[in-house]
Amino acid sequence: MQDGLMLIISGPSGSGKGTVVKKLCGIDDFALSISMTTRQPREGELHGKDYIFCTEEEFFATRDSNGFLEHATFSGHYYGTPISYVEEKIAQGMSVVLEIEVVGALQVKNVYPDALLIFLVPPTFEELRSRLKDRGTENDDEIERRIRRAKEEMEELAKYDYLVINDDIDTALEEIRGIVRAEKLKPKRSQSKIDIFFGNNDK
């Protein structure tokens, strides 16, 4: 069985990455990475499905033993991506999807160079602004702050492997699936196939 890969999807708020990731992880050979967090479960959230809920002591123990691909603090709570869960799914042939911001994505790339980085954006900044307004969850100042943040994130685009324009969810989804299929055919990800070809599979 061919190993899976680690797929990191980033993009500004309003890019639609949450919807794309949700649809992607509904496909059999994709799995969503589950983060460890010290915050309390919200209504309907399940331990081991939505998050791995833990105490601060448990979180710090994992961090201090280098058990996270990346970790961060948000609203007074700790969040981290456990290496063990990701590697287990990859060994099972799954493509593990991480939806994380640019800073965290680049942290992961440093730790796990084979990670595949995809940046998702709407067709234009005007479309991004329109989507943020349509959500109705931010005021004008907050929307403009998110637009500025999106422009800052775009400055790191050259460090990503692929750019996907999310004008249509289904099209963006197929483009990402095509990227993953192509990546799995690269020789650096196909050592087991190469070994079989040369008769080295018994080593």
Side-chain angles (χ1 to χ4, degrees):
M1 178 177 62
Q2 183 180 16
D3 284 351
L5 54 80
M6 184 189 302
L7 174 62
I8 299 174
I9 298 181
S10 304
S13 180
S15 64
K17 62 183 180 297
T19 302
V20 168
V21 167
K22 184 177 180 180
K23 284 180 172 287
L24 195 62
C25 292
I27 301 169
D28 288 344
D29 53 349
F30 288 86
L32 179 65
S33 172
I34 301 176
S35 295
M36 182 180 287
T37 181
T38 58
R39 75 162 172 80
Q40 292 298 307
R42 297 183 182 129
E43 185 176 354
E45 288 183 335
L46 298 175
H47 176 75
K49 179 181 179 183
D50 300 291
Y51 286 94
I52 299 169
F53 296 101
C54 66
T55 64
E56 288 191 358
E57 289 76 13
E58 290 170 331
F59 188 94
F60 296 152
T62 304
R63 180 197 64 186
D64 294 343
S65 63
N66 297 317
F68 290 126
L69 285 167
E70 57 85 30
H71 58 85
T73 307
F74 183 75
S75 296
H77 301 293
Y78 296 96
Y79 295 82
T81 302
I83 295 174
S84 57
Y85 177 87
V86 173
E87 290 186 339
E88 176 187 342
K89 293 298 181 183
I90 288 175
Q92 293 171 1
M94 306 289 285
S95 293
V96 183
V97 183
L98 286 71
E99 180 191 342
I100 50 180
E101 300 303 319
V102 171
V103 172
L106 297 179
Q107 285 180 7
V108 173
K109 188 72 170 179
N110 285 332
V111 175
Y112 203 101
D114 281 345
L116 181 62
L117 271 58
I118 296 178
F119 200 89
L120 191 72
V121 293
T124 64
F125 276 110
E126 288 72 22
E127 174 64 18
L128 179 62
R129 183 179 283 107
S130 176
R131 291 182 186 182
L132 291 171
K133 286 184 176 180
D134 289 345
R135 295 198 311 196
T137 56
E138 294 100 359
N139 59 35
D140 288 345
D141 288 342
E142 179 66 15
I143 288 172
E144 291 308 312
R145 187 189 70 80
R146 291 187 181 277
I147 294 293
R148 289 194 298 273
R149 176 59 183 158
K151 291 179 179 179
E152 291 171 359
E153 291 174 334
M154 290 289 285
E155 292 177 2
E156 304 290 348
L157 186 57
K159 297 176 182 178
Y160 276 68
D161 299 301
Y162 295 93
L163 173 67
V164 172
I165 307 298
N166 183 19
D167 193 16
D168 174 79
I169 289 289
D170 291 333
T171 301
L173 188 66
E174 279 308 305
E175 288 184 353
I176 292 171
R177 293 183 70 186
I179 288 168
V180 170
R181 285 193 291 267
E183 283 289 325
K184 286 186 174 182
L185 294 176
K186 288 185 175 180
K188 70 175 184 178
R189 299 187 189 275
S190 302
Q191 188 58 50
S192 60
K193 293 180 180 179
I194 293 171
D195 288 342
I196 291 171
F197 180 80
F198 285 104
N200 299 325
N201 51 310
D202 57 342
K203 291 185 179 180

